[in-house]
Amino acid sequence: MHVMVLGAAGMIGRKLVAAIVAGGLDATALTLVDVVAPDAPAGFAGRLRCLALDLGEDGVAERLVGLRPDLILHLAAVVSGEAERDFDKGYRANLDGTRALFEAIRRVGGYCPRVVFASSIVVFGAPFPQRVGDTQLVAPMTSYGTQKAVSELLLEDYSRRGMLDGVALRLPTICIRPGAPNKAASGFFSNILREPLLGRPAVLPVGDGLRHWFASPRAAVGFFLHAARMDTGDLGHRRAVTLPGVSATVGEMVEALRDVAGNDAVALIRREPDEAIAAIVAGWPGDFEATRARALGFRAEADFAEIIRVFIEDDLPAAEH
Amino acid sequence: MHVMVLGAAGMIGRKLVAAIVAGGLDATALTLVDVVAPDAPAGFAGRLRCLALDLGEDGVAERLVGLRPDLILHLAAVVSGEAERDFDKGYRANLDGTRALFEAIRRVGGYCPRVVFASSIVVFGAPFPQRVGDTQLVAPMTSYGTQKAVSELLLEDYSRRGMLDGVALRLPTICIRPGAPNKAASGFFSNILREPLLGRPAVLPVGDGLRHWFASPRAAVGFFLHAARMDTGDLGHRRAVTLPGVSATVGEMVEALRDVAGNDAVALIRREPDEAIAAIVAGWPGDFEATRARALGFRAEADFAEIIRVFIEDDLPAAEH
């Protein structure tokens, strides 16, 4: 099988490629694409291409589809904050790029690859019930969320018409992100765990009661691999799946850190309430049922302590070197 | 106020223009646009333009926005059946045309016209609860429904960012349509009433138990006029409104016809079950709460007899001549 990964140089993309090469998919050819050339993974015996291409640019989708991948894992995106700041850039990358991909596939005719698309719980918007169900109204409150919601609708129409075989994955907030602290509004969720685990201080800008919805990078990779292999006939025509995760308050996250790493780690968290961040995250959902996704075989962590252990196993050794 | 009507030559468009000219809006200039030049309405004293233009063609949106209407009533669309048959034409007219309009407005900068967009209950898809609520999942089952749903999402994002002041109207099935019987899957709803009222036979292809959701052309005009005048601050960021209507079974429609026009009219209805049509309409919703729209001041008919009386008052005289 020829597998193409769009957004292969990103955090999830790199882990996904590593998992594919380790045997997560039966890949005989691998085409890795990102706006910067993705690194060649070690140990892949099949045909490998690493391409620096921007899906939002004219002709790129046609060129990629011309390689006839059997499976396209589409994680390429301009992130939320940037899509909100730069309207044109966000729509070009996140909507036009995705639509160009679908159109290029359609225009081949008789070619119907599996397309797994990275969507997000940001397609939803407040007000939320205490637990968000599988028939929650899609009502994005950002341009990024709008671009993801529109892409889901297109994926469903193209799939219904047999032009491609799509699955859209509404990812939870991915936590604990390895690497340097980032300044995204959601960055503190990872920062307050990763930095103390590395013996460094971190700032907590919100109250302990804030509840949100998480999965580890490892779980995210698992979602893509499962979507690549699943029987899409089970989806009916609702091709967008709200994925399982762990619902936890900030207070519960801190206590999970204490259980795993002790009081000294927790003492590195400095509380500095930030009204601006508190206002943004107050509009975020706290808990999902994800009944349908679990029935379809998607699996996330059981609790937040497991999310921390996954980081320690997968990312802490590299971070310490 | 300069009012622009896109799709002004259509059935609702013509009635809407007549209502505006009769004083429904305080219009000092009127620009009427359709793919064929709309007729000039009688009795309009202000500046009038009648333009044959296709919004889906390059440059048309910019040209129209260059006229700086204060209010844009956007009813232009390729209809459902055609959008399903001709994928490119449907997407070009219904998605690209609408997006081009929004983009042309945005690129002016500091110009924020009210835009009232004709959406439809076809943004929803089965399975349905007995009564569809205001937070029903958008899940279109046609390309037309997808194009309307995507346009709603764009309208909400552009509105949230202050680029335009949008309202999307999810219209019920409009009944009784004047004019010749049409072959749309939904055409029989109007045919079985209009034709007997005109002393002509009609075919009923479905069972009496089928329930669906209706409003008259007069109610549709009222929805647009109300959306043009309302305080959009009341909408919050959910700019798409599921409109009120009348829920009726085919049997109830036939009995309403009997009450208004007698047994002789009903005797003109010939039952010829059509499996293909029955299969299509079985996936349609039967009843809506429309609580939010009613609270926002949108009004439809009280019962199906009123829908028939509206046709007799507004359209039967012309049809008989």
Side-chain angles (χ1 to χ4, degrees):
Chain A
M1 178 168 66
H2 178 187
V3 179
M4 179 176 283
V5 182
L6 307 177
M11 189 270 285
I12 305 289
R14 279 180 285 117
K15 287 178 179 287
L16 179 56
V17 169
I20 294 168
V21 170
L25 294 175
D26 182 24
T28 51
L30 200 47
T31 301
L32 309 181
V33 185
D34 211 314
V35 289
V36 296
D39 293 335
F44 182 66
R47 168 83 192 263
L48 177 70
R49 295 179 187 88
C50 295
L51 306 173
L53 288 169
D54 182 343
L55 190 62
E57 287 181 8
D58 284 350
V60 168
E62 291 75 6
R63 181 172 160 195
L64 293 174
V65 165
L67 300 173
R68 292 292 185 282
D70 303 291
L71 166 66
I72 301 173
L73 302 165
H74 175 20
L75 296 76
V78 161
V79 298
S80 182
E82 193 169 9
E84 198 65 18
R85 274 193 307 277
D86 189 336
F87 189 89
D88 283 305
K89 185 173 183 179
Y91 271 90
R92 191 172 61 240
N94 296 345
L95 196 164
D96 295 329
T98 300
R99 188 174 171 201
L101 176 68
F102 297 171
E103 271 297 281
I105 292 168
R106 174 174 83 93
R107 290 189 179 282
V108 173
Y111 164 60
C112 187
R114 174 73 51 94
V115 178
V116 182
F117 171 67
S119 186
S120 162
I121 54 170
V122 298
V123 298
F124 302 115
F128 292 107
Q130 201 162 13
R131 288 191 84 193
V132 178
D134 283 327
T135 58
Q136 173 74 13
L137 176 72
V138 167
M141 299 180 84
T142 59
S143 292
Y144 178 83
T146 301
Q147 292 145 14
K148 291 295 184 187
V150 168
S151 298
E152 286 185 359
L153 285 165
L154 296 177
L155 176 138
E156 288 182 332
D157 197 39
Y158 281 70
S159 294
R160 184 183 61 80
R161 298 185 72 133
M163 297 162 175
L164 51 83
D165 181 19
V167 186
L169 301 178
R170 290 173 179 157
L171 297 168
T173 290
I174 301 303
C175 187
I176 301 169
R177 296 182 66 88
N182 77 37
K183 301 204 170 192
S186 63
F188 70 88
F189 287 126
S190 286
N191 298 348
I192 61 166
L193 301 165
R194 180 192 55 246
E195 297 305 302
L197 286 166
L198 291 165
R200 300 190 297 230
V203 170
L204 173 55
V206 303
D208 279 22
L210 178 74
R211 180 175 288 283
H212 194 52
W213 183 243
F214 304 99
S216 74
R218 188 197 287 178
V221 167
F223 297 148
F224 281 93
L225 297 181
H226 184 64
R229 295 179 298 222
M230 73 184 293
D231 181 352
T232 52
D234 296 339
L235 291 170
H237 86 287
R238 295 195 178 172
R239 297 279 182 144
V241 181
T242 302
L243 295 168
V246 172
S247 173
T249 63
V250 167
E252 289 164 0
M253 293 166 71
V254 171
E255 288 315 302
L257 176 66
R258 191 187 311 275
D259 288 347
V260 173
N263 287 328
D264 289 353
V266 172
L268 288 164
I269 301 173
R270 196 171 69 248
R271 286 175 162 75
E272 280 184 21
D274 182 319
E275 296 282 325
I277 290 179
I280 293 170
V281 299
W284 291 358
D287 197 2
F288 288 81
E289 290 175 358
T291 310
R292 183 166 169 256
R294 292 186 218 271
L296 289 164
F298 290 95
R299 294 286 173 268
E301 284 77 17
D303 55 33
F304 210 89
E306 189 179 347
I307 289 181
I308 295 178
R309 283 196 300 273
V310 165
F311 174 77
I312 291 171
E313 290 171 24
D314 291 358
D315 291 303
L316 199 54
E320 285 174 330
H321 295 156
Chain B
M1 177 169 63
H2 178 187
V3 179
M4 179 175 283
V5 182
L6 307 178
M11 189 270 285
I12 305 290
R14 280 180 284 115
K15 288 179 179 286
L16 180 56
V17 169
I20 293 167
V21 170
L25 293 174
D26 182 24
T28 50
L30 201 47
T31 300
L32 309 181
V33 185
D34 212 314
V35 289
V36 295
D39 294 335
F44 182 66
R47 169 82 192 263
L48 178 71
R49 296 179 186 86
C50 295
L51 306 173
L53 289 169
D54 183 343
L55 189 61
E57 288 180 8
D58 284 349
V60 168
E62 289 76 5
R63 181 171 159 196
L64 294 174
V65 165
L67 300 173
R68 294 290 185 284
D70 303 292
L71 167 66
I72 301 173
L73 302 165
H74 174 20
L75 296 77
V78 162
V79 299
S80 181
E82 193 169 9
E84 198 65 16
R85 275 192 307 279
D86 189 336
F87 189 89
D88 283 307
K89 185 173 182 178
Y91 271 90
R92 192 172 60 240
N94 297 345
L95 197 165
D96 295 330
T98 299
R99 188 175 172 201
L101 176 67
F102 297 171
E103 271 296 282
I105 291 168
R106 175 174 82 93
R107 290 187 182 283
V108 173
Y111 163 60
C112 187
R114 174 73 51 95
V115 178
V116 183
F117 172 67
S119 187
S120 164
I121 54 171
V122 299
V123 298
F124 302 115
F128 291 108
Q130 201 162 13
R131 289 192 84 193
V132 179
D134 284 326
T135 57
Q136 173 74 14
L137 177 72
V138 167
M141 298 179 84
T142 59
S143 292
Y144 178 82
T146 301
Q147 292 146 14
K148 291 295 186 188
V150 168
S151 298
E152 286 185 357
L153 285 165
L154 296 177
L155 176 138
E156 288 183 330
D157 197 39
Y158 281 71
S159 294
R160 184 183 61 79
R161 298 184 71 133
M163 296 162 174
L164 51 82
D165 180 21
V167 186
L169 300 179
R170 291 172 179 157
L171 296 168
T173 290
I174 301 302
C175 186
I176 302 169
R177 296 182 65 90
N182 78 36
K183 302 203 168 193
S186 63
F188 70 87
F189 287 126
S190 285
N191 299 347
I192 61 166
L193 302 165
R194 180 192 55 244
E195 297 304 302
L197 286 166
L198 291 165
R200 301 191 297 231
V203 169
L204 173 55
V206 301
D208 279 21
L210 179 73
R211 181 176 287 282
H212 194 50
W213 183 243
F214 304 99
S216 74
R218 188 197 285 178
V221 167
F223 297 148
F224 281 95
L225 297 180
H226 184 64
R229 294 180 298 223
M230 74 185 292
D231 180 352
T232 51
D234 296 339
L235 292 169
H237 86 287
R238 295 195 178 174
R239 297 281 182 142
V241 181
T242 303
L243 294 168
V246 173
S247 174
T249 64
V250 167
E252 288 165 359
M253 293 165 70
V254 171
E255 288 315 302
L257 176 67
R258 192 187 310 278
D259 289 346
V260 172
N263 288 329
D264 289 354
V266 171
L268 290 164
I269 300 172
R270 195 171 70 247
R271 284 176 164 72
E272 280 185 20
D274 182 319
E275 297 282 327
I277 291 179
I280 293 170
V281 299
W284 291 358
D287 196 3
F288 287 81
E289 290 175 0
T291 310
R292 182 166 170 255
R294 292 186 219 271
L296 288 164
F298 289 96
R299 294 286 172 267
E301 283 76 19
D303 54 35
F304 210 90
E306 188 178 348
I307 289 181
I308 295 178
R309 284 196 300 274
V310 165
F311 174 77
I312 291 172
E313 291 172 21
D314 290 357
D315 291 303
L316 199 55
E320 286 174 329
H321 295 159

